[in-house]
Amino acid sequence: MEKILIFDTTLRDGEQAPGASMTSFQKLEVACQLEKLGVDIIEAGFPIASPDDFAAVKEAAKLIKRGSVCALARCIDKDIERAGQSLKKARHPRIHLFLATSKIHLKYKFKKAEDEIATIARNSIRKAKKFCSDIEFSPEDATRTEKDFLFRMIEMAINEGAHTINIPDTVGYSYPQEIYSLITDIRNNVPNIGKAVIAIHCHNDLGLATANSLSAVLAGARQVHCTINGIGERAGNASLEEIVMAMKTRKDVFGNFYNGINTKEIYRTSRLVSKLTDFVVAPNKAIVGRNAFAHESGIHQDAILKKRITYEIMDPHDVGIASSQLILGKHSGRHAFRDRLKELGFNLNDQQLNKAFLRFKEVADKKKDIYDDDLRIIVEDEIRSVKPIWRLRSFEVNSGTRIKPKAEVVLLKGSKDIPGVSSGDGPVDACFKAIDKITGYKAKLEDFRLEAVTSGKDALGQVSLKLKVKNSIISGRGASTDIVEAAVKAYIDAANKIGSK
Ligand code: KIV
Ligand code: ZN
C-alpha cells in the first residue's frame, strides 16, 4: 500500500477566500485540530503577507509536533527570509516556493522570458535551502504551461533539491483526463522525477477540484493539497473531506492507497473552520453539509430503516456524525413517522396513529421540517381530542387597520356543519365569539398565551388559554403554523371540555 500525503492549506489558500480571514489565534486553534485530524503537512500561512500571518506560522511551528509546518513564499528573497524565520522553531519545517510558468503569466504578469523565470526559481530554491532542507516547488498555473517548459522547470527544481513538486491547477481549468495525462507525462518525461514526490493542487472553478485531485492520485501523485470545507480562492480548493472519504469509500479504485486522516475528526474540523471563518457550509455540501446524511423522502426513509446501505454509501459515524437523520417533512412516510414517535415515547394505537399521521401531513404541507417538539404537539393534540363534540371545519377572518374584524367559523358536530359569524375586537376575539354563537356556551377568557414551539419563521405556534365558565376554569390548547388557527383550536378544545362536563 502506498501512502497519500495530505497537505492541508486551509490556513493559507483557504484563508485567501474572500471574507474568510482568521486571526493568528484562531489559526492556531485550527492548526491544532488539523494535527488531531492527522494531516501530514499544514500550510500555516504566507508569512510575508502580514505580521499576523507571520505570527500564525511561527506559533503553529512551535505547537505542532506530529506533521510538518509549511510556509509559502514567492521566489523573492524577502519572502524566503520571512518564511525561514517563521519556521525556526518547527520540528519539521517546509518552505513552499511558487513561481508562475504559463505563457499567460509570463507575458502579462512578469513580462519575462522562460529562461529568466528558470533562473529566478533556481536562485530561490538555493536560498530557501539555506533555511530548511524540505522544499516544495510549485510552477504556478502548471496546467496551462507549455509542457516542455514545465518539464524543464521540474527537472531543474529537483536538481536544486526540491523534494516535492506541486502541480497547481491554479485557475481550476482542467478536467480529470487532462490531469491524468499531465501527471503521466511528467512521470515519463522528467528524468529525475523519481527523486521527488508529485503533489496536486486543484481549484474548483468548474466544480472539478476533487475529481481532478483523485485523477492525479491514480496517475501517480502522492500528495494532495486540499482545504477543509473546500474553502479557498474564488470557488475554493479541493476539499479534504471529499478526497479522503472518496478514497475510503471507493476501496475498489483506491485500495492500494492509504492516508493518515482520522476520518472521525472530519465533522468536528469542518464545524470549527466554518465557525471561525464565518463561512456557512452549504446544506448539500458533500460529507459535511447538514443534509449529507439526512433523508426526507418517504421511500428513502422507509428503505434506510430497513437497511442503511440502500441510500447511504458512507456511515455517518465514520466522519464523526452521530447518526443519519430522517427529517420528517411532507415527503415522509408512515413508517418513519411511527418510528420517530416510538423514539419519543408515544405508543399510539392504529386509530390514533392514523389521525396523528393525517394531522402531521397537514402541518408538513405548511411547515418545511417537522422537529420533535412539533411532533409532540401534534400527537398530544390528537390524543387529547379523541372524541370531541366540536371539530373545526374551517374559518375565515377579515381584519385590518380600517375595518372591524369579522370571522366566520364552521364547526362540525357529528356529521353536520354549523356556521357562526361574529365581529370582535380583533381577529381572534371575532373567532371566539363566532364559536360561542355555535356552541351556545357563555365563557369568559381568563388567560391567553402564545408560544413558538420551535424556531424559524414557519415555527408551530401553540396557544394555551383558560376559560371561566360559571365557577370553573377550563383550559384548552391548540397548535398550528397559523396563530389564529392555533387560538381557534385551543378555544374549541376548551369548548369540548365544557360540553363533556
Ligand atoms: O493555486 C495556486 O497556484 C497556488 C500556489 C501558491 C500553489 O495556490
Ligand atoms: Zn491555490
Side-chain angles (χ1 to χ4, degrees):
M1 292 248 276
E2 283 193 74
K3 181 163 185 180
I4 301 299
L5 297 165
I6 301 295
F7 179 111
D8 182 280
T9 181
T10 306
L11 297 175
R12 199 277 300 169
D13 220 342
E15 209 233 2
Q16 278 173 228
S21 63
M22 289 176 265
T23 64
S24 55
F25 186 75
Q26 290 173 322
K27 284 186 174 182
L28 271 192
E29 220 181 316
V30 174
C32 290
Q33 180 58 30
L34 290 173
E35 186 175 40
K36 245 195 200 161
L37 181 65
V39 309
D40 300 284
I41 305 110
I42 298 174
E43 187 164 51
F46 190 13
I48 196 73
S50 73
D52 209 49
D53 242 41
F54 178 84
V57 181
K58 191 173 160 196
E59 292 308 312
K62 279 195 230 160
L63 216 71
I64 299 301
K65 296 185 184 70
R66 240 164 29 97
S68 302
V69 175
C70 176
L72 183 71
R74 290 170 295 181
C75 285
I76 295 177
D77 283 357
K78 63 178 189 327
D79 277 39
I80 298 167
E81 283 154 17
R82 206 75 178 126
Q85 286 155 6
S86 69
L87 291 171
K88 255 190 193 147
K89 298 267 164 63
R91 288 169 183 80
H92 309 285
R94 175 179 294 191
I95 293 179
H96 176 195
L97 287 173
F98 74 103
L99 184 63
T101 48
S102 67
K103 271 215 161 81
I104 301 172
H105 281 242
L106 263 58
K107 182 171 171 197
Y108 297 107
K109 201 166 92 177
F110 297 135
K111 296 186 176 42
K112 286 195 192 312
E114 288 182 349
D115 283 349
E116 286 175 276
I117 291 292
T119 307
I120 294 169
R122 177 180 296 110
N123 291 340
S124 293
I125 297 171
R126 285 180 188 171
K127 183 167 176 90
K129 275 279 187 190
K130 294 189 181 132
F131 290 95
C132 77
S133 60
D134 187 0
I135 303 296
E136 174 159 343
F137 177 72
S138 287
E140 190 191 7
D141 206 17
T143 52
R144 292 194 300 173
T145 299
E146 299 288 299
K147 282 200 178 165
D148 284 346
F149 182 49
L150 182 65
F151 300 154
R152 192 147 67 81
M153 285 292 284
I154 295 173
E155 187 180 356
M156 176 279 297
I158 297 170
N159 278 339
E160 294 300 332
H163 293 309
T164 306
I165 299 296
N166 179 40
I167 304 301
D169 185 26
T170 303
V171 290
Y173 181 71
S174 304
Y175 63 91
Q177 287 88 338
E178 269 175 343
I179 292 281
Y180 190 94
S181 304
L182 179 61
I183 302 294
T184 307
D185 289 347
I186 290 170
R187 294 179 69 198
N188 291 336
N189 291 285
V190 176
N192 55 359
I193 194 69
K195 293 188 189 152
V197 171
I198 302 175
I200 185 76
H201 177 109
C202 294
H203 279 271
N204 207 27
D205 299 66
L206 292 174
L208 293 170
T210 298
N212 284 337
S213 307
L214 293 171
S215 196
V217 167
L218 293 176
R222 293 294 172 261
Q223 179 181 294
V224 179
H225 282 216
C226 44
T227 61
I228 301 297
N229 300 336
I231 62 169
E233 282 274 358
R234 306 180 308 279
N237 289 57
S239 108
L240 180 146
E241 59 276 9
E242 292 173 16
I243 287 163
V244 168
M245 289 313 290
M247 288 176 59
K248 185 177 171 79
T249 307
R250 293 303 306 269
K251 280 271 184 314
D252 53 331
V253 182
F254 298 97
N256 292 333
F257 308 111
Y258 71 97
N259 59 63
I261 298 296
N262 173 5
T263 60
K264 290 199 162 43
E265 290 292 330
I266 283 179
Y267 190 63
R268 194 196 310 273
T269 316
S270 161
R271 300 304 315 146
L272 181 71
V273 169
S274 169
K275 188 181 88 183
L276 296 181
T277 54
D278 263 341
F279 253 51
V280 178
V281 175
N284 61 333
K285 166 80 182 65
I287 321 293
V288 290
R290 174 163 37 91
N291 292 349
F293 295 94
H295 308 270
E296 214 216 65
S297 133
I299 299 167
H300 290 209
Q301 292 184 343
D302 189 54
I304 284 267
L305 289 166
K306 288 175 179 144
K307 192 82 181 161
R308 193 184 57 76
I309 56 168
T310 48
Y311 284 101
E312 264 180 12
I313 58 166
M314 290 167 273
D315 186 337
H317 293 108
D318 283 349
V319 296
I321 293 175
S323 65
S324 327
Q325 252 187 305
L326 301 188
I327 302 291
L328 292 183
K330 67 175 176 186
H331 301 117
S332 303
R334 193 178 297 265
H335 189 167
F337 179 71
R338 192 191 51 213
D339 263 51
R340 181 65 67 83
L341 290 186
K342 263 196 195 145
E343 276 166 33
L344 293 176
F346 291 105
N347 272 315
L348 306 192
N349 62 34
D350 284 353
Q351 197 195 2
Q352 286 171 327
L353 185 77
N354 286 345
K355 282 170 65 188
F357 187 64
L358 286 177
R359 173 90 180 98
F360 157 74
K361 284 283 185 181
E362 265 171 45
V363 176
D365 260 340
K366 298 183 193 150
K367 188 177 189 311
K368 224 166 106 268
D369 296 329
I370 309 287
Y371 301 100
D372 289 349
D373 283 347
D374 295 323
L375 274 183
R376 283 192 190 94
I377 297 291
I378 290 169
V379 173
E380 282 163 8
D381 240 18
E382 288 309 322
I383 296 176
R384 277 187 302 112
S385 49
V386 178
K387 270 194 190 142
I389 304 167
W390 311 98
R391 277 185 164 274
L392 175 65
R393 171 72 93 183
S394 65
F395 77 94
E396 225 177 282
V397 204
N398 211 346
S399 159
T401 47
R402 279 189 265 167
I403 52 167
K404 188 162 172 67
K406 195 177 157 200
E408 183 177 349
V409 180
V410 181
L411 298 188
L412 181 70
K413 186 180 185 191
S415 56
K416 236 173 116 188
D417 281 347
I418 309 176
V421 179
S422 177
S423 56
D425 293 336
V428 172
D429 185 51
C431 287
F432 288 0
K433 285 188 171 133
I435 295 169
D436 285 346
K437 281 192 179 165
I438 300 169
T439 60
Y441 303 145
K442 283 203 165 35
K444 189 170 167 251
L445 185 64
E446 287 279 301
D447 191 23
F448 181 95
R449 238 170 297 160
L450 168 68
E451 13 172 23
V453 178
T454 44
S455 58
K457 63 179 187 319
D458 61 354
L460 267 189
Q462 178 170 260
V463 168
S464 319
L465 50 75
K466 288 199 172 77
L467 300 182
K468 189 166 182 193
V469 186
K470 291 181 190 153
N471 283 332
S472 45
I473 298 286
I474 309 283
S475 63
R477 258 195 296 153
S480 171
T481 47
D482 175 334
I483 54 173
V484 179
E485 188 180 335
V488 167
K489 285 184 163 173
Y491 202 78
I492 298 169
D493 182 43
N496 278 319
K497 288 179 189 162
I498 299 169
S500 60
K501 270 183 152 241

